[in-house]
Amino acid sequence: MSFIDLNTAVGHSFGIDVDGIVIKGITEISGLKWEQDVIDLKLNTPDGKYVHNKLPGRPKPADITVTRGLTSDNSFEKWVETCHFGQMSEARKGASIIIFDYEGTEVKRYNLTNAWPKSLEIGAMKAGDTSVLTEKLVISCEEIKPG
C-alpha cells in the first residue's frame, strides 16, 4: 500500500532561468497556465436532430509576467531592445520557471519554448511613496511544458 505524497512546494520559493542564466530578485511570477481554443461544431444529423459539440482546438500558451524590484541590472532592457530591433532569432530564448521546496531543492520546472519579451513596465513613481519600485516583464512563448 502506498501513501499519497502530501509534501507540496511553497509558493514563495521560485526562480526563472533564461538560457542558463538565472535572473535573481524575482518577487512574483504570474500567468502560468495552459489553455486551448474551443471549436463549436453545430450540425444536423441524418435523421434531422440538431447536435452541438465542443471540440479541442489549438493550444494557446499564456503570457508570463515576471516582477522584480528595480535594480541597476539591465538584462530585461537588453532583451527587450533585441526585439525592438527585429533580431528575433537572438531574442527567442529557452526559459524555465523553477519551483523549490523549503530546503531549496527543485520540485518542479516549467519550460518555455522560444520565449521573448512582449513588454516591460516600470512601476508607478509617486512623490513621498516608500514602496519598492518594480519592473514587470511580460514574456510570450510558443509552448509551455512541465519539465
Side-chain angles (χ1 to χ4, degrees), residues 61-65 76 79-80 83-84 88 115-121 136-141:
D63 289 337
I64 311 297
T65 303
F76 283 177
W79 196 15
V80 170
C83 289
H84 283 242
M88 291 308 290
W116 57 276
K118 179 178 173 182
S119 67
L120 180 63
E121 176 186 351
K136 289 185 181 185
L137 180 70
V138 178
I139 300 172
S140 189
C141 66

Side-chain angles (χ1 to χ4, degrees), residues 20-130:
I21 300 169
V22 177
I23 298 174
K24 299 176 180 177
I26 304 296
T27 58
E28 182 180 347
I29 296 176
S30 62
L32 188 61
K33 68 177 182 176
W34 291 260
E35 188 177 8
Q36 67 186 77
D37 290 329
V38 176
I39 300 169
D40 279 327
L41 178 63
K42 300 173 186 177
L43 56 97
N44 288 324
T45 61
D47 60 350
K49 291 184 182 176
Y50 173 74
V51 177
H52 183 188
N53 289 333
K54 291 192 178 217
L55 305 170
R58 288 185 222 131
K60 296 188 323 185
D63 289 337
I64 311 297
T65 303
V66 177
T67 306
R68 70 175 180 176
L70 187 66
T71 65
S72 61
D73 178 18
N74 62 356
S75 56
F76 283 177
E77 289 95 346
K78 285 181 182 178
W79 196 15
V80 170
E81 281 179 12
T82 307
C83 289
H84 283 242
F85 293 121
Q87 301 166 337
M88 291 308 290
S89 60
E90 289 181 35
R92 293 182 191 274
K93 300 191 179 292
S96 296
I97 295 170
I98 309 164
I99 300 171
F100 303 99
D101 66 7
Y102 62 95
E103 293 178 331
T105 306
E106 184 177 319
V107 174
K108 196 143 190 153
R109 177 180 290 257
Y110 299 98
N111 297 318
L112 312 177
T113 304
N114 288 329
W116 57 276
K118 179 178 173 182
S119 67
L120 180 63
E121 176 186 351
I122 306 303
M125 295 176 248
K126 299 176 190 171
D129 191 7
T130 58

